[in-house]
Amino acid sequence: MSGKGLGHAVVLKLLEGLEDKRHHMYLDNWTSSPALFDDLHPKGFGACGTLRLNRKGKPQIIKSKRKMNKHTMVSGTTGKSLAMVWMDKRAVAMLSTIHDDSTVPISRRSGEATGGVEVVSKPLCIDQYNHFMNGVDRHDQLTSYYGFSHR
């Protein structure tokens, strides 16, 4: 192992032979790391993924996260990656070599007291991450309902 973690080594092993085909991948916070993204970019892979706020080796922009207002974003670059934190109900940290810090408007139902819909600016990388990871999250949710014991 390269000293960068098991997830890092597994992702690189699975992608052998697929280099320079300009594939994009979406990773969850168990495998996303700045070191992995730095190793994937020269091989022709684009990557986007969530990042744990307490992860070792996280970018400085995420370390300097302070109290943020709802629906605000702080972003910066680290090497070839965009690092950003967006405050929704809680802080969401992302790394991406595919996206910039552009936003898209989304509609959300607001409370019944206001009786309407509010339009929120959501970062494009989070919107696309949610779109492409929906099937994986749905699978995880469904398998959690049917537990089985391990020996």
Side-chain angles (χ1 to χ4, degrees), residues 8 24 30 32-33 48 87 101:
H8 187 277
H24 291 175
W30 294 104
S32 294
S33 72
C48 177
M87 181 62 81
D101 61 354

Side-chain angles (χ1 to χ4, degrees), residues 17 32 45 48-49 60 64 66 70 81 83 88 93-94 117 127 136:
S32 294
F45 293 103
C48 177
Q60 187 64 35
S64 65
R66 57 200 170 278
K70 194 170 185 177
S81 301
D88 193 22
M94 298 288 290
V117 175
D127 188 53
V136 174

Side-chain angles (χ1 to χ4, degrees), residues 126-143:
I126 293 176
D127 188 53
Q128 287 192 343
Y129 175 85
N130 290 339
H131 173 76
F132 290 113
M133 289 295 285
N134 188 31
V136 174
D137 292 337
R138 184 79 174 136
H139 175 266
D140 291 345
Q141 178 186 8
L142 291 173
T143 55

Side-chain angles (χ1 to χ4, degrees), residues 15-23 40-46:
L15 296 175
E16 285 179 1
L18 298 174
E19 293 89 356
D20 297 319
K21 294 187 178 178
R22 304 182 56 84
H23 290 293
L40 289 174
H41 187 71
K43 295 181 181 202
F45 293 103

Side-chain angles (χ1 to χ4, degrees), residues 51-115:
L51 189 66
R52 285 206 233 146
L53 293 171
N54 61 356
R55 186 177 189 99
K56 192 186 303 184
K58 66 186 169 196
Q60 187 64 35
I61 191 74
I62 294 173
K63 286 181 184 175
S64 65
K65 183 194 82 65
R66 57 200 170 278
K67 181 69 176 162
M68 297 171 59
N69 294 328
K70 194 170 185 177
H71 305 301
T72 58
M73 174 177 63
V74 176
S75 65
T77 57
T78 171
K80 299 285 184 186
S81 301
L82 167 75
M84 59 152 309
V85 179
W86 182 61
M87 181 62 81
D88 193 22
K89 291 180 182 171
R90 60 181 72 97
V92 178
M94 298 288 290
L95 282 177
S96 179
T97 59
I98 308 167
H99 304 96
D100 58 9
D101 61 354
S102 61
T103 60
V104 293
I106 60 162
S107 299
R108 286 197 174 161
R109 285 187 3 200
S110 57
E112 290 186 28
T114 59

